[in-house]
Amino acid sequence: MRILITNDDGIYSPGIAALAKVASRFGEVRIVAPDVEQSSMGHAVTHSRPLSYRTSPISFEGLDAYRVNGTPADCVAIGTHLWSQTDVVLSGINMGPNLGNSMWHSGTLAAAKQAVLLGIKGIALSTPVGKTEPDFDRLAPYVEEALTLLLATPGLALYNVNFPENPTGIRWTRQSVRLYDGTVVPGVDPLGRKHYWFTVTPLEPAEEGTDRWAVENNFVSITPLRLDLTDEEALKGKE
Ligand code: MN
C-alpha cells in the first residue's frame, strides 16, 4: 500500500513524524509537506506561481520526505502526481483539534479532501494541544487502531479523526454544527496601535454523538464526511 503523508503544520511538526512512524507499519510511506506552517489555510491552492519540490532537511527514519513551498492541497496534488498509484493520503497529526465548524478552515482536512477530489481515500488526523505538546507515544496505539479500521475499508472515502489527550476508546461521530467558535479579539500592539486577533473560544457542552462530544469525553472521534454540500431538504420539491 502506498501511503502519502502531509499536514498543514509544516514538515518540521512533531505530529507528522509521529504519524509517519505508525503509518510505516501499514505500507510504503512518502512524506510531502509544506515547508512552513499553513494552518487554517483551508483548501487553498497555488496557481499564480510555480511550486518547488525539494528533499526534506530532516530525516524521517529513512522514509522519503519532501517539502513544498505551497499549501496542504498543493502537496497532495504534486505528491500524488509524482507518486503514481497512491492508495491513501493521511494528513496530520495536526497540532490542534479539527472539530465541528472548525473543519471549514482546516488545512489538515483540506489535504484529505484534495485526495478525494483526485479519486484517492483521504484521512485527516488531529489532536488538541494543551500547555505542553501532545504525547504522541501515548496516542500511537490509537492511531494504529484507527488506521487499521479505516485502511481496511474499501472504496473512496473521506474521514476526519480527532484524538483526545488521553483516549479510552473510539467512537463513530457526526459533525457538531450547533455553534461557531471563531471570535475576533481586539488588542493593542507594543506601539499602542489597535489590532485584532481571530481566535477560537471553546464551546461546551457539545451534543452527544458529535465529534466535539467524543473528544470532550476522551474518545477518539471518527467522522465519515462527504464532499457533496447539497442541502437535500431544501432541494425537495424544487427540481
Ligand atoms: Mn495545523
Side-chain angles (χ1 to χ4, degrees), residues 3 8 16 19 37 45 69 78 88 103 109 124 138-140 145 147 153 163 180 187:
I3 304 168
D8 76 358
I16 199 167
L19 179 57
E37 182 170 353
V45 290
N69 59 342
I78 296 174
V88 63
M103 284 190 212
L109 180 58
R138 186 193 293 151
L139 297 184
E145 194 177 338
L147 291 182
T153 311
F163 300 90
Y180 183 59

Side-chain angles (χ1 to χ4, degrees), residues 8-9 37 39-40 94-95 108:
D8 76 358
D9 295 334
E37 182 170 353
S39 290
S40 295
N94 188 60
M95 306 274 276
T108 306

Side-chain angles (χ1 to χ4, degrees), residues 22 25-26 93 125 135-150 161-171 218-222:
V22 176
R25 298 169 199 157
F26 292 86
I93 299 171
L125 307 101
D135 183 345
F136 288 111
D137 288 338
R138 186 193 293 151
L139 297 184
Y142 290 92
V143 176
E144 183 163 6
E145 194 177 338
L147 291 182
T148 301
L149 194 64
L150 300 180
V161 186
N162 280 269
F163 300 90
E165 194 178 344
N166 292 298
T168 57
I170 293 182
R171 290 288 183 274
N218 299 317
F219 295 117
V220 177
S221 164
I222 304 180

Side-chain angles (χ1 to χ4, degrees), residues 200-236:
V200 169
T201 51
L203 294 174
E204 291 179 286
E207 320 89 299
E208 188 166 346
T210 63
D211 51 3
R212 285 175 44 227
W213 170 86
V215 171
E216 281 171 19
N217 288 280
N218 299 317
F219 295 117
V220 177
S221 164
I222 304 180
T223 309
L225 299 174
R226 60 182 182 183
L227 296 185
D228 183 355
L229 298 176
T230 309
D231 183 338
E232 297 292 346
E233 280 301 311
L235 190 59
K236 268 184 195 164

Side-chain angles (χ1 to χ4, degrees), residues 55 156 176:
T55 306
L156 185 62
S176 169

